[in-house]
Amino acid sequence: MRVLVVEDEPDLLSALVQTLQEEGYAADQAADGHEGLFKAESSDYEAIILDLMLPGIDGLEILRRLRQQRRKTPVLILTARDSVNDRVTGLDTGADDYLIKPFALSELLARLRALIRRNAGQVDPLIQISDVVINTTTHTVCRNGTEVPLTAREYALLELLTLYRGKLITRSMIYEQLFGDDDDTLSNVVEVHVSHLRKKLGKDFIQTRRGQGYQVDGSETDDV
Amino acid sequence: MFRSLQWRLQGWYALILLVVVTSFGAVFFTAARKARFDEIDAELLSAARVLEGVLRTVPQQRRLLPPGPPPDDRPPGEASPPPFARPNEFEPRNAQPPGGPDGPPPRRLPPRPNDPPGRRPLLDRQTRILAPDIFSLPNSFRDRYQEDGDEPYFVVRTSAGELIRANPRDAATSVPIDHTVGRWYESHSRNRGDLREVSLLGPSDTNILVGRSIRHELDGLHRLAWQLALTGLGVFSAGLLGGWWLSSRAVRPVVVMSQTISEINASNLSRRLNLAGVDTELSQLGLLVNQMLDRLENSFDQQARFTADASHELRTPLAIILSQVELALARTREPQAYRDALEACGRAAGRMKSLVENLLTLARADSDKLELRKDPVDLAKIASENILMLEPLAKERDVNVRIDAGPARVVGDAGRLSQVIMNLLSNAIQYNKPGGQVLITTATDQDQAILTVSDTGAGIPEADLPRLFSRFHRVDSARSRTTGGSGLGLAICRSIVEGHGGTISVTSSLDQGTEFVVRLPMVASV
């Protein structure tokens, strides 16, 4: 899951990015409006955390431009402006959620998960595919009732594939979503993660579309 | 409820109305009663005068009778009018004219007999002897009041109370003598039950009393009294109703206004009194109330904005502290990670501290509690000190700071004035472009010390100049984040300068630079 954090307070930005990374997100950061808009326009993020008062371009202006470009990326506004008017303006401009400073990181993460889940068309935080149950809240995976230990990367890959189950996920999408700007990874790492997941969850859990990408097809267990 | 204005108005109104109606009724009734009694008295008096005339003729008749025949052929029983009236012998004795049209015919009274000294006529004996029938009331008078068995009556006595003649006879015993007559008055009238009596001082100290029943008249007066009372009651009630209507009309705007006012509180300060159709004095009051509400709303808005801004400024460092702490405690970390988190928290807390201090300074300035010292202060010296302190910042920003120090001594608070200069100077450095210049000058102009701080920065848009000294106003709402300002610096500068009785002003042109001018009185005006 790749998310973008646009925040001009260095200390807050670092805390946010580190938290997100520890949660398994690929977090990009932008410290001013120009950088934020550029990044938001140039990559596909699963979600954007956006401060409103930014040097360069105002947060609302970034949001407006993104929506004008028909970008559907969920945007969570993070701001110290707490008046009803501000919240209404933010949501009406196209934000999907609004969190007021100061906030608890756990709440931010929960809202972020909800945003991503909803955007993918998933309503239940528990995703079940055949005998595998993925809890997107606690980031735990169970197979036949027993927990399967996964690394953060493995979990992120699994969640990405299962969120868009039945759809083809290209390798470039996986790179885009799994690795932030700061990650220096080799392309074969994706294969390594996929083979680890297959070992832990069963050979046929992830199908390979040769030359295109991967797919988790849960069509026969759609009756969750 | 009864303490309300309307009830008081109504109460006073009722009282006044009651007094007016009652006194009008009383005066009217008294006048009517007096007029009626005067009429009765006039009749009785003229009847008494007839008797008096008879009395007067008695001694004369007696004197005149033997030598010659009576001057009148009329039989003595028909004594009205007296037969002896000769104009040349009369003179007016009493200014009081005789009674009404129904009374005896007008006539002259005989002159008071100037009796020869030592000769007092013995009236009692003579009258008893002489022609008893001549003592009677005029027929016209008697006929009028003889109905219902209430016959007019008369009693003639000597002033000593000895009866001379009475008709009917029992009147002599039942009617007490009116002693008032003769002592103070020539004639006097009185009420005795439903009887009206007039006493007259007759010739030779006689007391002539004529009376009759005034039952009809009293009944009439009684009816009049009732009519007056009922009419008065009606007028009073109508007046009360009208008064209530008027007073409620007068009070209604007050009620409406007070209702509106009672509904206004901090959450709906924008409500105003509706002054359409309100009387002049009240609309004046309402206008004042509305103006007061305008001012209140304005200051409430300012306060709310200030609070919102202050809380907004506090939220960001608070968010930093909370998220850094939450992150650090999420799992076990390297010592360096804790150190970084604590440092971030320290920076955020430092920002909150300076913000709180600034807010406190402004709050003190607002309530005139800045407690400025009054020491001799050399602005040039303070400016030089501040330049030294800000040298690292100036170096970092590659800004050249110069000073043109002229003599500028004022009386004031060195610490606060230093705060002003520090603020202006750090702004000039921070918002300058690399390689820019900052010039501080101090000088004296007549009785003012002048300090200027000018820079070669980007300048301030003209639209922002009027609000530059407002609290939490920032030219670029986010630019201060990187420089650590809270938007209170210039507001504090203004408060301090104005606290010293001085002024602060700014001129700026885009891309040219900005100049702040502080003028302080040489002798503190406060």
Side-chain angles (χ1 to χ4, degrees), chain B residues 374 411 497-502 520-526:
Chain B
K374 285 171 193 161
V411 174
V497 169
E498 287 177 354
H500 281 83
L520 292 167
M522 297 287 274
V523 180
S525 63
V526 190

Side-chain angles (χ1 to χ4, degrees), chain B residues 5 87 178 189 221 422 515 526:
Chain B
L5 184 61
D178 188 354
S189 41
L221 285 173
M422 174 72 112
E515 184 182 53
V526 190

